[in-house]
Each structure stands twice: as structure tokens, then as C-alpha cells.
Amino acid sequence: MAKGAGKVRKKLPKALAVVNADNCTGCEACIEVCPVDCIYKVQGADLPTLQSFVDIDLDRCIGCDLCERWCPWDAIEMVKPTMIADAVACKGGPADYVAAKQDQLNAAARAIQDLAIEAAAAAPAKK
Ligand code: SF4
Ligand code: SF4
């Protein structure tokens, strides 16, 4: 089977990374260690109220948790895909960014969560 057929992946990691924007200093330590380059810096130009911070493209996160382990500010949480939509909806961030991006981020997280819930319902828990 082809690996990246379409946008929805067939297998989800056990957990996905979510940045708590209030704790993030934009130090970029997580960006340096992420093996799939799915963490992106939100530049301050559009965010006069904040120095900078990062966010994560959940569709590409493989759940390796390197970013969580390297973050000096404990700003990253690993969240089960079945709970990812709530975590993303509550992760915060500067008002400009939330206004511009939160709907899109919520929709991506909800799609992942729905997929995870469907998968959990379809397959009995296995090790
Ligand atoms: S869990 Fe791994 S893949 Fe996901 S954002 Fe963190 S470093 Fe990148
Ligand atoms: S390592 Fe932590 S504080 Fe630094 S940019 Fe990443 S999430 Fe923000």
C-alpha cells in the first residue's frame, strides 16, 4: 500500500505534540531536534504582542517526543490522538495568531481525533 495516499494517514502515533503557547519562548530547541521538520516558528512580525513561539503541523508529527524531551520550558505536551482536538483548542497563543489560524488548527486536530476514535472502535486494544 502506498504510504502517503491522500492527506489522511492510515496509522496514527500513540501521541502527538502540542505546544502550550504561553510557556513557549521561541528558543527553537524543538525545531532543531524534530526529525520530520513539522515544527514551525511563528514570526513576530504579525504578532506584536509576543516575541515568538512555535507551533506544530500535526499531520506530519510522528510522535517521537524528542521535542517534549528537549524543550527547556516544558512547553510541549504529548497528547493521545483521541484527545488531540481538545488539547489544540486549549493550547492558547497570541490573539492575532488564534484569530488567523485556530479554526484551521482545530479542524486538523478534529480530523485526527475522529480518525483515532474510529480506529479505536474498529480494533480491539492490542499491544
Ligand atoms: S513529537 Fe517528534 S515528530 Fe512530533 S513535533 Fe515533536 S519532534 Fe517533531
Ligand atoms: S523548545 Fe519549547 S520553548 Fe523552545 S521553541 Fe520549542 S516549544 Fe518553545
Side-chain angles (χ1 to χ4, degrees):
M1 294 205 175
K3 254 188 174 175
K7 285 186 178 176
V8 179
R9 55 185 163 190
K10 294 187 170 75
K11 189 173 178 189
L12 288 168
K14 286 183 182 171
L16 295 163
V18 176
V19 175
N20 178 339
D22 291 340
N23 289 356
C24 176
T25 64
C27 72
E28 302 189 27
C30 54
I31 292 177
E32 287 176 25
V33 298
C34 178
V36 296
D37 292 331
C38 69
I39 305 176
Y40 57 92
K41 189 99 178 255
V42 178
Q43 295 301 338
D46 298 330
L47 304 169
T49 55
L50 190 83
Q51 68 285 18
S52 62
F53 82 119
V54 303
D55 212 339
I56 294 174
D57 179 357
L58 287 178
D59 286 325
R60 295 171 53 215
C61 173
I62 59 171
C64 68
D65 91 0
L66 279 174
C67 56
E68 182 199 36
R69 286 190 269 150
W70 279 85
C71 177
W73 301 101
D74 201 19
I76 296 182
E77 183 186 1
M78 299 304 296
V79 178
K80 288 180 184 176
T82 50
M83 302 172 74
I84 196 74
D86 285 345
V88 167
C90 298
K91 70 187 179 54
D96 305 12
Y97 181 72
V98 169
K101 296 280 185 183
Q102 194 66 48
D103 285 350
Q104 184 188 331
L105 296 173
N106 286 344
R110 197 173 313 281
I112 291 170
Q113 180 166 307
D114 289 347
L115 188 66
I117 290 171
E118 267 178 42
K126 267 200 227 176
K127 266 206 140 187

